[in-house]
């Protein structure tokens, strides 16, 4: 337990620290356990999907694309996955180079592939987080979004790639284009910091991945004409689909009001103005503010990809508790819990306040270093 009380600028009370993770992670772990007990003999959950839905799309996509199926044809894709017992609504809309990842894992039986995905992603995030966090890095696997590891979250891999990129890896930045929207502000940060070699490597890796995937699957045109159309329809659909309850953007919060795009623009501009104040920070110091701002700027994002938001605020609470006032502590705890608060539609305001707290903490650190 010594990691819980390591010396820093301030110490968060142990009970607050434990409850912070426990209250947020335990419900998902219990829910996952109940779902596992309900699986049938073919690894299909009570919701009619293979256990680990996020990963099941990767596995299905790679396997079916290798068999020559156009996985961006929604009707054909759904018909094909029914053969595996998956009756829930699913579609494949990731960029075509993600199929390379799915194809490699599709050679394994599904349960084994899911285990490899979850274990490999956990190890990657542990290693990527280690230089950033002042507490035991295994705790990052209990942040709100990643407590859903049994569901095959892509957030493990993308969060790890993001942190590796923030440490200077152009290769990681290139692989992050598998979920390109999560790297938009990362790319901007690299440009502002004049990391041109890293940008060149990222572009080269991306082009290589796209060329290899086109050579193997030939689905680039299908993605541009069908995959992107499917993604656009996610936001434009008129009915209140369940997935809107896991989308944290201001656009989603104010759907049907006529103010959704105005609100999204206002929140995005405010976030970018705050983020600009970090321009003198090192790339590694920018990591968590950029992660927070990403989910404010994007109209299309999901709570299960927000691991780095929670990790960033866990660091602030752990290392700066004593110097935070009570308002800052409350904001940081709410921002840490943001992936579990998405359905309340208050997350844009919580994250905007959280980004301001991140700025205040960074400025205090900078002033302390100057005084020292």
């Amino acid at each position: 337990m010594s990691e819980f009380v390591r010396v820093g600028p301030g110490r968060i009370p142990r009970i607050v620290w434990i409850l912070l993770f426990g209250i947020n992670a335990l419900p998902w772990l219990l829910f996952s356990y109940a779902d596992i007990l309900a699986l049938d003999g073919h690894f299909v959950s009570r919701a009619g999907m293979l256990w680990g839905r996020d990963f099941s799309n990767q596995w299905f996509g790679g396997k079916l694309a290798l068999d020559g199926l156009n996985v961006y044809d929604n009707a054909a894709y759904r018909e094909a996955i029914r053969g595996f017992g998956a009756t829930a609504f699913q579609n494949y809309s990731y960029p075509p180079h993600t199929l390379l990842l799915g194809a490699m894992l599709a050679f394994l039986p599904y349960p084994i592939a899911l285990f490899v995905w979850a274990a490999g992603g956990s190890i990657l995030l542990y290693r990527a987080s280690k230089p950033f966090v002042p507490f035991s890095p295994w705790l990052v696997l209990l942040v709100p979004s990643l407590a859903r590891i049994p569901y095959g979250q892509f957030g493990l891999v993308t969060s790890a790639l993001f942190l590796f990129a923030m440490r200077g890896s152009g290769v990681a930045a290139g692989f992050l284009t598998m979920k390109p929207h999560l790297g938009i502000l990362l790319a901007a940060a690299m440009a502002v910091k004049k990391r041109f070699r890293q940008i060149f490597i990222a572009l080269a890796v991306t082009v290589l991945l796209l060329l290899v995937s086109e050579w193997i699957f030939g689905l680039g045109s299908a993605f541009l004409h069908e995959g992107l159309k499917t993604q656009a329809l996610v936001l434009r659909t008129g009915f209140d689909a369940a997935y809107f309850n896991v989308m944290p953007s201001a656009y989603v919060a104010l759907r049907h009001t006529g103010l959704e795009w105005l609100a999204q623009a206002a929140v995005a501009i405010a976030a970018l103005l705050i983020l600009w104040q970090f321009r003198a920070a090192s790339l590694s110091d920018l990591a968590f503010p950029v992660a927070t701002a990403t989910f404010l700027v994007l109209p299309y994002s999901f709570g299960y990809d927000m691991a780095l938001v929670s990790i960033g605020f866990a660091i602030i609470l752990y290392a700066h508790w004593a110097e935070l006032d009570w308002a800052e502590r409350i904001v940081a705890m709410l921002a840490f819990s943001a992936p579990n608060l998405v359905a309340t539609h208050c997350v844009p305001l919580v994250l905007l306040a959280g980004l301001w707290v991140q700025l205040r903490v960074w400025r205090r650190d900078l002033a302390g270093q100057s005084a020292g």
Side-chain angles (χ1 to χ4, degrees), residues 311-329:
I311 294 169
F313 288 102
I315 292 170
I316 284 177
L317 288 164
Y318 184 89
H320 300 276
W321 178 265
E323 67 195 62
L324 298 176
D325 60 38
W326 277 104
E328 290 172 332
R329 290 174 183 175

Side-chain angles (χ1 to χ4, degrees), residues 28-206:
W28 284 105
L29 297 177
L30 292 176
F31 184 80
S32 299
Y33 177 69
D35 251 11
I36 289 172
L37 294 181
L39 293 179
D40 68 15
H42 299 287
F43 225 63
V44 177
S45 75
R46 55 191 168 186
M49 61 188 72
L50 287 189
W51 178 250
R53 174 172 176 156
D54 263 21
F55 175 69
S56 73
N57 265 337
Q58 296 300 311
W59 191 81
F60 281 140
K63 193 173 191 67
L64 296 173
L66 284 174
D67 291 339
L69 182 76
N70 174 10
V71 295
Y72 299 108
D73 181 333
N74 291 333
Y77 181 75
R78 288 172 198 146
E79 181 62 30
I81 68 175
R82 282 194 196 99
F84 296 87
T87 58
F89 180 90
Q90 288 184 234
N91 59 272
Y92 196 91
S93 54
Y94 297 112
H97 52 309
T98 58
L99 292 167
L100 297 170
L101 185 60
M104 288 189 292
L105 291 167
F107 287 105
L108 298 171
Y110 183 78
I112 296 174
L114 177 60
F115 174 80
V116 170
W117 174 254
S122 298
I123 292 168
L124 273 177
L125 184 58
Y126 176 92
R127 294 299 297 267
S129 301
K130 204 168 183 179
F132 291 92
V133 298
F135 46 81
S136 184
W138 66 266
L139 282 171
V140 303
L141 302 178
L142 290 178
V143 302
S145 57
L146 293 186
R148 308 171 211 185
I149 286 173
Y151 289 92
Q153 295 300 333
F154 214 132
L156 284 162
V157 174
T158 54
S159 297
L161 291 173
F162 187 98
L163 290 181
F164 282 128
M166 279 298 191
R167 288 166 56 187
S169 172
V171 173
F175 274 95
L176 187 58
T177 58
M178 290 183 176
K179 271 206 168 182
H181 57 299
L182 297 181
I184 288 175
L185 291 188
L186 166 65
M190 290 192 298
V192 169
K193 303 305 291 184
K194 299 181 180 179
R195 303 294 293 263
F196 299 121
R197 181 176 181 273
Q198 185 181 4
I199 292 171
F200 174 79
I201 293 172
L203 289 173
V205 168
T206 302

Side-chain angles (χ1 to χ4, degrees), residues 10-23:
R11 294 184 183 181
I12 186 170
R14 183 178 300 190
I15 186 62
V16 176
W17 185 242
I18 293 172
L19 287 174
L20 184 70
F21 284 92
I23 290 174

